[in-house]
Amino acid sequence: MKKIFAVYFLILFLTSCVSDNPVEFLKLPKNERLEIVKNLDARVNIFDDEKDIVYVGTWGSRVFKGGDGYGKDKIYNIAVRFCKEKLELDSAKKIGTKTMNKEETEKYKLWNKVYVKYQCFQSELQKIEEAKKTSNNKSTRSFTCSFSENTNEKSKILINGPVAIEETAIGITINYNTVNISDKGAFTLQGASNDPGRVWFIGAQSFLLLDTKVLPYNCY
């Protein structure tokens, strides 16, 4: 009984301090209020032009820009959980803090005044796991590819099942998260870590595609 009273008191205290609509909040069903407090009123893509964004309430005031609310570790852990549960992305990066004005809290039915804003994204491990689902290559191969117009310019490429690693002529390491193989044994390397427009085609005729630019290579 004491625990229930303490939780209720906490909800009442928090809403009276940081919500623009404490009366409306207390009209919600008890289990819904508890869930909101548990998740720090976390929201996904509040504004129309957003993609893979999670907001986590601080239960802090506008005066202190949310700094008088919950600690950063709790807020971050909830952000990661929402990225996974709501967006199927396993990582979160803080990109700012958003102080909502009264018009925004009313329009979007928010219960916090200050939110920490996170961008959700795939970790490298998740990219590899996704690649395993989409790639049809299971073999391991290595190639040295020399630029046809300058044979001294060589890239070393190691293909390991659904992923590949390239070491360029100037020593830069580039990871590819998707490798496919055609019926004739030609490889396609996509999902470059440095440039999504960078694609390798390695076969009887090989070339490197840089967006719309096609560079011929000899790979052996």
Side-chain angles (χ1 to χ4, degrees):
M1 184 70 183
K2 290 182 178 179
K3 185 176 180 181
I4 295 174
F5 178 76
V7 172
Y8 183 80
F9 179 77
L10 176 61
I11 292 173
L12 185 63
F13 172 75
L14 289 173
T15 53
S16 63
C17 290
V18 300
S19 173
D20 288 318
N21 305 300
V23 175
E24 292 301 316
F25 182 83
L26 293 173
K27 290 180 181 179
L28 297 175
K30 178 183 174 182
N31 62 333
E32 190 173 336
R33 297 198 305 270
L34 290 172
E35 192 70 11
I36 290 171
V37 173
K38 173 187 172 184
N39 294 324
L40 302 188
D41 195 30
R43 307 293 183 100
V44 175
N45 299 329
I46 292 177
F47 302 100
D48 292 338
D49 59 345
E50 293 180 324
K51 179 177 173 59
D52 300 333
I53 298 294
V54 167
Y55 291 86
V56 183
T58 63
W59 293 110
S61 61
R62 291 192 183 103
V63 174
F64 296 100
K65 298 181 179 179
D68 52 335
Y70 279 103
K72 60 182 181 180
D73 289 341
K74 181 179 178 65
I75 292 171
Y76 172 74
N77 290 337
I78 291 174
V80 171
R81 177 161 59 82
F82 264 63
C83 286
K84 291 179 179 179
E85 293 177 358
K86 305 296 184 181
L87 301 170
E88 298 183 349
L89 299 170
D90 65 354
S91 297
K93 180 181 180 181
K94 179 182 175 181
I95 57 175
T97 301
K98 170 66 174 173
T99 301
M100 303 291 181
N101 57 41
K102 290 185 178 182
E103 290 75 18
E104 289 168 333
T105 59
E106 181 178 351
K107 178 178 179 180
Y108 299 106
K109 295 181 172 58
L110 306 175
W111 305 114
N112 268 247
K113 297 178 179 179
V114 183
Y115 292 76
V116 182
K117 183 177 179 180
Y118 289 87
Q119 177 71 58
C120 300
F121 60 95
Q122 286 185 327
S123 67
E124 289 303 316
L125 179 60
Q126 188 178 19
K127 289 178 183 178
I128 291 172
E129 292 302 317
E130 288 295 320
K132 289 179 181 178
K133 298 176 185 178
T134 58
S135 172
N136 66 356
N137 179 56
K138 301 184 184 302
S139 62
T140 299
R141 293 286 303 275
S142 61
F143 294 93
T144 297
C145 296
S146 59
F147 186 31
S148 298
E149 298 178 11
N150 181 3
T151 55
N152 291 323
E153 186 176 319
K154 301 178 187 293
S155 284
K156 295 180 180 180
I157 297 174
L158 173 63
I159 296 173
N160 186 13
V163 297
I165 300 175
E166 174 190 1
E167 183 181 342
T168 69
I170 58 175
I172 297 174
T173 299
I174 301 171
N175 295 303
Y176 296 84
N177 62 31
T178 305
V179 177
N180 284 299
I181 186 170
S182 71
D183 294 338
K184 296 182 178 180
F187 293 96
T188 303
L189 281 59
Q190 297 173 285
S193 56
N194 70 326
D195 180 3
R198 183 184 183 91
V199 178
W200 275 99
F201 295 91
I202 302 176
Q205 292 183 322
S206 302
F207 57 90
L208 173 62
L209 178 65
L210 298 176
D211 294 320
T212 59
K213 191 174 183 180
V214 180
L215 305 178
Y217 274 78
N218 295 312
C219 295
Y220 51 90

